Amino acid sequence: MSSQVPPFASSPASTLPPSTRRKRRSKFTYKHLSTFSFSSTSSPLRVIAHIDLDAFYAQCEGVRLGLEPTVPLAVQQWQGLIAINYPARAFGLNRHVTITEAKEKCPEIICQHVATWKEGDTEWSYSDDAFKEIAIRKVSLDPYRLECRKILATIKGFLPADKQKVEKASIDEVFLDLSAQVHGIMLERYAEIRGPPPYDDPSEALPRPPTTALDWAADALVDLDDKQSEEDDPDWDDIAMLIASEIVRDVRKEIFDKLHYTCSAGLSRNKMLAKLGSAHKKPNSQTVVRNRAVQQFLSSYKFTKIRNLGGKLGDEVVAAFNTDTVSDLLPIPIGELQKTLGDDTGAWLYNIIRGEDSSEVNPRTQIKSMLSAKSFRPSINDFDAACKWLRIFVADIYSRLVDEGVLENKRRPKTISLHHRQGGQTRSRACPIPMGKAITQDGLFLLAKNLLSQVVVDGRAWPCANLSLSVGGFEDGVQGNMGIGSFLVRGEQAKSLPVPAATHEQPAAKRRRVGEGSIAKFFGMPSEESRSSSIGDIDDDGEAALLRTDSTDDLSATHARNATGGDNPSMPPPSAQPSRPTTPDRVQPKPPEEDSDSAYTCSRCSDRIPQEQRLEHEDYHFALDLSTQTVTPPRPPAAQPETTDNSSRLGGGRGGSRGRGRPTKFGEGERGKGQKRLAFG
């Protein structure tokens, strides 16, 4: 009896050894890996980190005072609290409690007042009694700005300079785009993704990572979405997030080792999710929001916690849909969101609650403006008191300008502005900061004082409830310029220079140009050389060197000038005037002996002209005739008729004048020169 044959033959692939089976592929392609290398916002492998200092002001005061991190500490400003460290928060304290309430709940708490500027001081300082002198002191945040610069410099110094993108979001938080750095580390660790894509096709899928389990150390991992499982093998986005978490962990350790500050961090695929992650678990921790956990992470949040949704827009969304949670907004279609909020806002909200944010990390961390302000209680009432506060404002701003590099000409502001509030009216004045001089404290004070004077001149300046001074329009200073002294040589260096050989050539004598703008100069008469014998050359001293001339010519030239009323600017100078016809009294020069075919003698000026220039010469005479015809001789004054009747002379009577400006009837009076009677009919 034969064995039973199975109804279906087994697949040939199932009989092959595991090494020859088709390898599983990743959902990411070589194109995604390429865009990941240059930190593209569209790359699904993108990794963004957000670092947030824990109770930053309180930490700064604790480090400055040398306190243990476990000591309860609060930062005081006048009668309120602006920062409370985490040991003090364990007693239920927050920034809304008063100092008295804080000491009742936590008797061991230390309340440190912020640094202040005192009226008349040129530097900020700490004072235990500052809260008692609110009328003559102003808060200074310079100690915290200085520590922020140290932290930012530490972060930049730790990350590779050619691959870092660091954005200062505020005085105590920083965004990092780690995509380029993580890409380089991935290529070093995993050889399977180093080569070119198969068939040179960037749309080909990447091979799956060889790792099946990832060690997240002490990181806080957000739970995966409902359809995801931790049993699933990781993909390349998980590998990228793991490497980024290692980098951020080392950055936080560097900050603590050098400056003794703790900070929390969040990591995800964009800035919005990373910022929410850094606040998810504090203090001194970091949270990783993987791509497979985004919806699970956001669904538990109120959307008013998302950046740009905590103000008026968030209130508008709450009022429109009667909810403040992300989970309630997810089922709403995009069309309804756009209809209610507008096309752009509705589309943005639809994407943001799903974890989509394409905002880029801006590495430019330079400040754009500086402000120093004071609200007066009670108000100030005179110009001198305001000037004392302007001194403090200027000192405050100038110290920050020095830190910004204004003394080294790295950066400098272009404008200074003053804001003045009296009652419910606020007035502002601004002026440019002179660019030709270095910025000094006295120079800024004079500018501020001048702006205040303009406000006072306008009237109703007192009592003043608030005064502020600001500088803005920062630009990079010009560096590397050399003074004029660097182009000069002195002393022995100047003596060693070779001396150029002296030249004894005399410059050619200058000659005054004669006949500027005349017709003869326009035509460029070739007869100029033939008439040069009757023209005086003008030397440098202004004296005429008379050559051969004819007394008859001088006399006729004098008559010609007298006939036209003296020196007529419309007449050409004698050098450009044509010669007159030959008369018995005039001696004509002998023409050169030339072939009659190559030259001809002008009948007007007796000059010998080449045949090819004959037409041009005749045009010259024609133009000269036209110019003399256009000169209109002065009209003689009209003869006044003799009248003996006084009434006629005064305009009275029927036969007298017809009135001033009215013409006489045709036929009345004498015809003028050139007029004639016209025959009609």
Side-chain angles (χ1 to χ4, degrees):
M1 182 175 172
S2 63
S3 63
Q4 185 178 2
V5 179
F8 300 101
S10 60
S11 172
S14 61
T15 60
L16 297 176
S19 60
T20 60
R21 295 176 185 173
R22 181 176 178 83
K23 294 182 180 180
R24 293 180 303 128
R25 312 299 290 179
S26 168
K27 65 179 180 180
F28 301 104
T29 66
Y30 283 87
K31 183 178 181 180
H32 294 151
L33 185 65
S34 176
T35 57
F36 182 48
S37 64
F38 53 85
S39 305
S40 173
T41 58
S42 61
S43 175
L45 297 172
R46 186 183 185 214
V47 181
I48 305 297
H50 179 261
I51 297 179
D52 188 9
L53 276 297
D54 300 324
F56 180 54
Y57 289 0
Q59 276 203 92
C60 288
E61 298 299 341
V63 171
R64 182 181 68 85
L65 297 174
L67 301 177
E68 291 293 329
T70 57
V71 176
L73 174 67
V75 179
Q76 176 184 351
Q77 179 176 321
W78 312 133
Q79 297 297 331
L81 301 178
I82 61 173
I84 301 174
N85 68 357
Y86 284 90
R89 294 183 190 184
F91 291 86
L93 302 181
N94 55 54
R95 289 182 296 177
H96 300 290
V97 302
T98 63
I99 298 177
T100 303
E101 294 174 346
K103 290 184 177 180
E104 290 177 355
K105 293 183 177 182
C106 181
E108 299 177 357
I109 191 172
I110 298 176
C111 296
Q112 172 62 50
H113 200 282
V114 297
T116 57
W117 296 85
K118 188 176 181 180
E119 184 179 359
D121 292 348
T122 58
E123 292 183 356
W124 53 265
S125 60
Y126 284 93
S127 174
D128 294 335
D129 298 329
F131 66 96
K132 300 178 182 179
E133 302 174 328
I134 185 174
I136 60 174
R137 287 185 178 271
K138 177 192 173 301
V139 170
S140 174
L141 300 180
D142 284 357
Y144 313 129
R145 295 190 185 99
L146 294 174
E147 295 304 305
C148 174
R149 293 191 183 98
K150 294 178 182 178
I151 295 171
L152 196 63
T154 301
I155 295 174
K156 290 184 175 180
F158 183 80
L159 299 176
D162 58 335
K163 295 181 180 180
Q164 65 178 238
K165 291 185 72 174
V166 181
E167 176 185 347
K168 177 186 173 184
S170 68
I171 195 172
D172 62 344
E173 55 182 335
V174 176
F175 282 107
L176 308 177
D177 191 336
L178 302 173
S179 301
Q181 183 179 356
V182 171
H183 175 268
I185 297 176
M186 284 175 58
L187 295 183
E188 293 177 1
R189 293 185 182 180
Y190 302 97
E192 48 266 68
I193 60 174
R194 295 178 193 169
Y199 316 110
D200 290 332
D201 184 6
S203 62
E204 282 286 327
L206 292 168
R208 294 284 292 195
T211 306
T212 57
L214 302 179
D215 182 12
W216 296 96
D219 294 344
L221 289 179
V222 176
D223 294 337
L224 298 178
D225 297 341
D226 295 337
K227 297 181 180 180
Q228 303 291 332
S229 172
E230 293 290 354
E231 302 297 329
D232 298 334
D233 291 339
D235 209 338
W236 290 112
D237 56 341
D238 299 318
I239 300 296
M241 206 69 67
L242 176 66
I243 296 174
S245 68
E246 298 172 0
I247 297 173
V248 174
R249 197 179 301 115
D250 293 340
V251 169
R252 293 171 49 232
K253 183 177 183 300
E254 184 77 4
I255 295 173
F256 182 79
D257 291 343
K258 284 190 174 182
L259 305 174
H260 310 294
Y261 294 117
T262 63
C263 51
S264 300
L267 292 96
S268 191
R269 65 190 183 192
N270 55 50
K271 294 172 67 175
M272 184 267 292
L273 292 172
K275 182 174 175 61
L276 293 177
S278 64
H280 183 67
K281 188 177 180 180
K282 293 175 73 92
N284 197 23
S285 180
Q286 67 184 43
T287 301
V288 179
V289 184
R290 294 167 289 178
N291 292 349
R292 296 185 291 162
V294 170
Q295 288 305 316
Q296 177 68 24
F297 178 67
L298 287 178
S299 60
S300 61
Y301 264 91
K302 293 183 177 181
F303 57 77
T304 52
K305 299 292 184 180
I306 299 176
R307 188 173 57 170
N308 299 327
L309 282 174
K312 293 182 179 180
L313 179 58
D315 296 338
E316 183 181 353
V317 176
V318 172
F321 300 100
N322 197 25
T323 183
D324 61 354
T325 62
V326 174
S327 58
D328 292 339
L329 282 184
L330 286 174
I332 301 177
I334 185 173
E336 186 175 348
L337 293 175
Q338 290 178 322
K339 182 179 179 181
T340 306
L341 305 173
D343 292 342
D344 294 338
T345 305
W348 175 82
L349 180 61
Y350 181 84
N351 292 324
I352 207 72
I353 61 177
R354 286 164 173 78
E356 301 297 333
D357 177 25
S358 60
S359 57
E360 188 173 0
V361 174
N362 184 7
R364 201 183 81 170
T365 57
Q366 296 175 335
I367 61 175
K368 299 179 181 179
S369 62
M370 294 179 180
L371 173 70
S372 185
K374 173 70 177 178
S375 295
F376 303 110
R377 304 189 194 101
S379 302
I380 57 176
N381 296 283
D382 57 79
F383 184 80
D384 293 337
C387 287
K388 292 180 180 179
W389 284 106
L390 287 182
R391 279 284 187 189
I392 296 178
F393 296 163
V394 168
D396 182 15
I397 292 176
Y398 186 75
S399 65
R400 291 149 62 185
L401 288 175
V402 172
D403 295 335
E404 193 66 18
V406 70
L407 296 181
E408 296 83 8
N409 202 31
K410 294 180 180 178
R411 300 187 75 220
R412 59 176 291 149
K414 293 191 295 185
T415 58
I416 181 171
S417 303
L418 181 136
H419 305 275
H420 174 281
R421 189 174 77 232
Q422 189 270 334
Q425 182 182 11
T426 302
R427 287 175 288 182
S428 302
R429 295 292 183 273
C431 69
I433 299 176
M435 302 299 293
K437 299 185 293 184
I439 295 179
T440 61
Q441 193 166 332
D442 292 337
L444 290 177
F445 174 72
L446 291 178
L447 293 175
K449 186 177 180 181
N450 181 46
L451 295 177
L452 180 61
S453 301
Q454 297 177 23
V455 174
V456 173
V457 168
D458 292 343
R460 295 189 59 82
W462 318 111
C464 176
N466 181 275
L467 196 64
S468 64
L469 190 70
S470 63
V471 293
F474 279 83
E475 62 180 5
D476 295 333
V478 179
Q479 297 181 348
N481 281 3
M482 296 186 298
I484 192 173
S486 61
F487 295 95
L488 305 177
V489 292
R490 300 177 180 86
E492 298 297 330
Q493 186 179 4
K495 295 178 181 179
S496 62
L497 293 177
V499 180
T503 57
H504 301 284
E505 297 181 0
Q506 296 295 332
K510 297 181 180 178
R511 298 194 176 202
R512 185 179 301 167
R513 290 185 292 181
V514 183
E516 185 74 23
S518 64
I519 293 177
K521 183 173 183 60
F522 174 77
F523 280 92
M525 293 301 298
S527 59
E528 186 72 21
E529 295 181 0
S530 62
R531 291 194 300 272
S532 62
S533 59
S534 60
I535 301 175
D537 292 340
I538 310 300
D539 60 11
D540 291 338
D541 297 331
E543 298 179 356
L546 299 179
L547 303 179
R548 295 189 305 273
T549 183
D550 193 305
S551 60
T552 307
D553 291 344
D554 294 340
L555 185 60
S556 61
T558 304
H559 290 320
R561 284 195 300 272
N562 294 336
T564 57
D567 294 336
N568 189 355
S570 63
M571 294 294 291
S575 61
Q577 294 181 8
S579 304
R580 280 155 295 281
T582 305
T583 59
D585 297 335
R586 183 177 180 184
V587 180
Q588 295 291 339
K590 276 189 176 185
E593 295 182 0
E594 294 183 4
D595 186 14
S596 59
D597 295 337
S598 60
Y600 88 103
T601 302
C602 179
S603 59
R604 298 282 299 274
C605 60
S606 301
D607 287 340
R608 195 76 172 172
I609 305 299
Q611 286 289 347
E612 59 271 12
Q613 298 181 4
R614 178 174 179 176
L615 294 177
E616 183 179 357
H617 186 77
E618 292 177 352
D619 290 341
Y620 161 74
H621 284 295
F622 179 73
L624 191 63
D625 293 340
L626 290 178
S627 64
T628 56
Q629 291 178 9
T630 57
V631 178
T632 304
R635 296 182 62 180
Q640 299 291 336
E642 296 182 1
T643 58
T644 57
D645 190 359
N646 293 334
S647 63
S648 299
R649 185 166 52 250
L650 295 176
R654 297 175 60 88
S657 173
R658 300 179 62 86
R660 187 175 67 180
R662 296 182 60 185
T664 59
K665 292 182 179 180
F666 179 76
E668 295 181 359
E670 183 181 357
R671 293 191 300 271
K673 185 177 180 181
Q675 292 181 346
K676 63 181 179 178
R677 189 184 299 275
L678 299 177
F680 293 91

